[in-house]
Amino acid sequence: APSASQPFRFTYFGSGLNIAGASPTLTLPSGTIKPLPTSGSDISYADSAASAAALDQVYGTGNYTFSLPVFGVSLSAKTVFGADAYPAIPQVNNYAGAQTIDPDQEFILKVAPFTAAHGDDYMSIVIRDSFGNDVYSDYFHDNSTTDIAIGPQTLGLGNTYTGELSFNRLAARQSADSTLQLAAIFSSVTTFTLVATGNQTVDTTPPLLTQAYPTNGGAILVPQSAILFQFNEAMDVTRQALSLTATQNGVPATLSPDKLTFMWSADHTTFICNYALTSGGWPKGLSIHWTLNANLGAANAMRDQSGNLLGTVSGQFYTTGATQTGCDSTDPTESSSFGFLKLANHLQTGAGVAGNDPTNAAFLSAFNRIPDSPGRAALEFPADPAPKPHQLKFFGANLAGEFLIVPFNSQAELDAAYPAGQYDFQLRDKVAPITVLEHVVLNLTADPYPLAPHFANYAAAQGIDTNTDFSLNWDAFAGAIANNAGISLTVEDDQGKTVLSLPDSCDNKPLAVTDTHAVIPKGLLAAGKTYMATLSFLHLNDSGKLMPGTSSKGIAAVGQSTRMTLKAGGGLVATAPRFRSFSIDASGNFVISVECTTGIPLHLEGTAALGTAFNVPLLTTNPPVSPLTITLPATPGPIGFLRARSE
């Protein structure tokens, strides 16, 4: 049935288009200019009407032009909306079933196919929770699709969700004279509810252990790691029948029961066991045998929420025999396993004060390096009891952990997006991310940022003798107190590989907040190579809080960093130039920033098209600094492609 109110909508969206200071607009066929609201780097606009005719009165057929004025020029995109061409109305064929979904089982949403679809048409679906957060979304270009699989644990028991099923018809693409891409789309959207009521039948099936960590025969590498047991359904959390026996070199060893701590995940499907969290974790060099439900008749025998007993199951794991020395750091910036930092960044190109970093002015950096983290990291702010809706940011993962990096054009933009307040650092279920397993509230106060670091021996750092130790010096961290400040130094080569990182307690290389220099040992830098040193000063707003169920500590901080090139002597060797930024100034001139090797001629060349020779000489210079800013005049006109090369 038609939506009860304002069922017809006009929406504009542009991802990653907005630039600070720009005022994007959309010009309608009538000549009306609509200012487009912005949020960070995104642009969005929406309007609605009670009928298609009412919508067409404002948003009729004809030309639509998006404009983005930047640095004295206007980037644009143009397209044409033709007469109304809405696709068929999407239909959910098993609506009743969607009102009684068992969230522990896969649910197949049955939908009518996208009839009369054209080649570029597509079907899409999004499911949102009561706070407006997306919990599931997908696109289907095979328009004969009738089955959409919603995996187990996607929905939470007892919750109601809103689904939007859309048929989307591509009406037109951008015109040939556009500098940006713009497409016109007609969409028909059906909104419906989904309710996770659970299985209404009597459960008589015993639960199963689906995964254990470490795996059978595996090893714990970090003593403070938890052992985990994951089940195929929610369990009775009052039952904790786990027994452990240990041997060392074939001789029985003792595990103290009073050092064992147990907990369940928020969805009651994962049983978590830690040992001696406050005194070093699991003993090293042990072979540990575990058994769940060794005695099925015991009062604490594990069972599911319907009372079905888990069968007896067992396995074995090992703790490593290596002994770490000097790795228990007292520096909160080094010992923290999770948290977030707000950093304003600077670039020092001489002996004077460092200027704002033109390519990396400010950013938020959040991280999760909790060993064997039981969940997926997310940052929610402001935290309760602030009114909803909250902002929720999920982290990306790589081999080093989970990270969230959000860049900004200035410190002011960073502070506006991430103001002082409470930030809820969460570990969410990896299968059902709406479920919070554990969380810690970190407080970000309005404490001022520290002063930007300043390297004191810039000139000496541009000709380092690799055969002797080199002292890299900086001005003192003003106002630093050990328990509310942090300092770090990294040195990276021209490939981005870290060759030095301080402090490093595992290698007995401390760095106190009162230090004003660090030694770069001889032989660490390669002769003729250029490196980048980054020094950061931090004010700690919150530190030392433990994530429940782990021995990991959190941190919240604001800081400033300064980076500077280091050049190793032994003869100048050119590295490949790298374009760092492009912009257009108020006069229409083209402004380019190039990373290059100082003292070695740099050539900037152009060509009209790829595949042809770069035979248009634009500039030859001997760069005194790197990065080098180059300004090309607006006339005689743009070159299709540029390259920079060093001799």
Side-chain angles (χ1 to χ4, degrees):
S3 177
S5 175
Q6 304 295 92
F8 291 88
R9 296 179 295 181
F10 177 89
T11 303
Y12 175 85
F13 57 91
S15 298
L17 284 178
N18 186 44
I19 298 174
S23 301
T25 60
L26 186 69
T27 303
L28 308 184
S30 63
T32 301
I33 298 176
K34 297 283 189 180
L36 300 179
T38 62
S39 176
S41 63
D42 295 337
I43 301 170
S44 64
Y45 172 82
D47 199 357
S48 60
S51 67
L55 195 71
D56 287 345
Q57 285 185 348
V58 181
Y59 305 97
T61 61
N63 293 319
Y64 286 74
T65 302
F66 166 74
S67 298
L68 182 67
V70 183
F71 303 115
V73 300
S74 182
L75 305 177
S76 67
K78 303 176 183 178
T79 193
V80 177
F81 253 127
D84 290 351
Y86 293 98
I89 298 174
Q91 177 72 39
V92 175
N93 289 337
N94 60 339
Y95 176 83
Q99 309 312 297
T100 57
I101 296 174
D102 181 355
D104 292 327
Q105 306 296 323
E106 181 181 69
F107 177 73
I108 303 298
L109 186 70
K110 298 285 188 179
V111 301
F114 189 168
T115 58
H118 303 155
D120 289 326
D121 295 350
Y122 62 96
M123 177 192 306
S124 61
I125 185 173
V126 60
I127 299 174
R128 299 184 177 95
D129 63 18
S130 59
F131 304 119
N133 299 315
D134 294 359
V135 299
Y136 176 85
S137 63
D138 209 346
Y139 293 83
F140 305 92
H141 288 279
D142 178 3
N143 296 304
S144 62
T145 298
T146 58
D147 291 359
I148 300 175
I150 302 172
Q153 304 301 324
T154 301
L155 309 181
L157 182 64
N159 294 327
T160 298
Y161 299 84
T162 300
E164 288 186 0
L165 181 64
S166 305
F167 291 168
N168 306 284
R169 171 153 294 152
L170 183 64
R173 296 187 184 275
Q174 75 275 11
S175 62
D177 58 344
S178 293
T179 54
L180 298 172
Q181 292 186 349
L182 180 64
I185 299 172
F186 284 101
S187 296
S188 293
V189 183
T190 295
T191 302
F192 59 99
T193 59
L194 304 95
V195 184
T197 59
N199 191 347
Q200 302 302 306
T201 61
V202 177
D203 177 14
T204 60
T205 304
L208 297 174
L209 179 69
T210 57
Q211 186 176 7
Y213 177 84
T215 56
N216 194 29
I220 281 182
L221 302 179
V222 178
Q224 293 84 5
S225 297
I227 59 174
L228 309 176
F229 303 94
Q230 189 169 38
F231 304 94
N232 66 332
E233 59 178 311
M235 301 290 285
D236 180 349
V237 298
T238 65
R239 308 290 188 99
Q240 301 175 345
L242 169 66
S243 60
L244 300 168
T245 58
T247 59
Q248 187 169 40
N249 300 322
V251 178
T254 300
L255 291 173
S256 300
D258 61 337
K259 293 185 178 181
L260 289 167
T261 55
F262 305 112
M263 64 179 297
W264 286 89
S265 63
D267 63 356
H268 300 173
T269 62
T270 303
F271 183 51
I272 305 166
C273 173
N274 288 97
Y275 187 83
L277 272 179
T278 60
S279 56
W282 299 93
K284 297 178 174 65
L286 297 185
S287 171
I288 299 177
H289 188 273
W290 57 264
T291 303
L292 298 174
N293 278 7
N295 179 4
L296 294 176
N300 68 337
M302 301 177 82
R303 63 184 186 181
D304 65 19
Q305 294 184 350
S306 298
N308 302 302
L309 281 173
L310 173 76
T312 301
V313 60
S314 61
Q316 187 178 26
F317 65 92
Y318 300 89
T319 61
T320 58
T323 301
Q324 290 183 307
T325 58
C327 289
D328 296 326
S329 175
T330 58
D331 184 340
T333 63
E334 185 184 9
S335 61
S336 298
S337 298
F338 66 93
F340 66 96
L341 317 171
K342 293 200 315 181
L343 283 171
N345 303 308
H346 304 267
L347 178 66
Q348 185 172 336
T349 58
V353 176
N356 292 330
D357 194 321
T359 62
N360 187 25
F363 66 88
L364 175 100
S365 173
F367 61 94
N368 173 33
R369 294 192 293 264
I370 296 176
D372 310 314
S373 176
R376 180 183 178 190
L379 195 64
E380 186 174 9
F381 59 96
D384 286 331
K388 291 178 170 52
H390 296 168
Q391 295 192 58
L392 182 65
K393 300 285 187 179
F394 281 98
F395 294 17
N398 59 34
L399 293 177
E402 294 181 288
F403 299 91
L404 172 68
I405 305 293
V406 186
F408 292 90
N409 295 317
S410 67
Q411 179 185 325
E413 285 190 17
L414 169 62
D415 290 339
Y418 294 87
Q422 291 185 316
Y423 287 71
D424 200 12
F425 197 103
Q426 303 173 350
L427 299 180
R428 292 183 168 231
D429 189 280
K430 295 178 181 179
V431 177
I434 61 171
T435 301
V436 178
L437 303 179
E438 300 296 347
H439 75 108
V440 172
V441 173
L442 298 175
N443 296 304
L444 185 69
T445 67
D447 287 349
Y449 286 69
L451 295 177
H454 175 259
F455 291 102
N457 56 342
Y458 174 87
Q462 308 312 302
I464 298 173
D465 183 355
T466 60
N467 296 315
T468 61
D469 291 345
F470 177 76
S471 177
L472 183 62
N473 303 335
W474 56 83
D475 297 345
F477 186 169
I481 302 173
N483 62 357
N484 75 347
I487 186 172
S488 66
L489 173 70
T490 61
V491 177
E492 297 179 339
D493 65 15
D494 55 4
Q495 303 300 312
K497 178 183 177 182
T498 301
V499 299
L500 180 65
S501 178
L502 301 175
D504 183 356
S505 58
C506 289
D507 201 18
N508 195 28
K509 294 177 180 177
L511 190 63
V513 294
T514 54
D515 285 343
T516 56
H517 80 282
V519 173
I520 300 176
K522 63 181 180 181
L524 182 67
L525 308 183
K529 292 289 186 179
T530 298
Y531 297 81
M532 186 66 68
T534 303
L535 181 65
S536 301
F537 291 167
L538 302 177
H539 276 169
L540 308 182
N541 291 165
D542 203 349
S543 64
K545 289 182 177 176
L546 285 173
M547 179 67 72
T550 77
S551 60
S552 296
K553 298 177 181 178
I555 187 175
V558 296
Q560 305 231 44
S561 75
T562 297
R563 64 190 186 107
M564 175 186 76
T565 57
L566 307 176
K567 295 185 174 63
L572 290 176
V573 176
T575 57
R578 181 171 63 175
F579 290 118
R580 297 183 56 197
S581 66
F582 300 84
S583 62
I584 300 173
D585 65 17
S587 301
N589 298 317
F590 202 34
V591 181
I592 308 168
S593 178
V594 185
E595 260 186 19
C596 50
T597 305
T598 59
I600 292 182
L602 175 74
H603 305 275
L604 189 65
E605 302 165 337
T607 184
L610 288 179
T612 61
F614 283 84
N615 56 5
V616 181
L618 300 172
L619 177 75
T620 296
T621 185
N622 194 325
V625 297
S626 177
L628 178 69
T629 299
I630 299 172
T631 301
L632 298 179
T635 56
I639 298 296
F641 297 88
L642 302 177
R643 79 171 180 187
R645 65 179 179 87
S646 293
E647 293 181 353

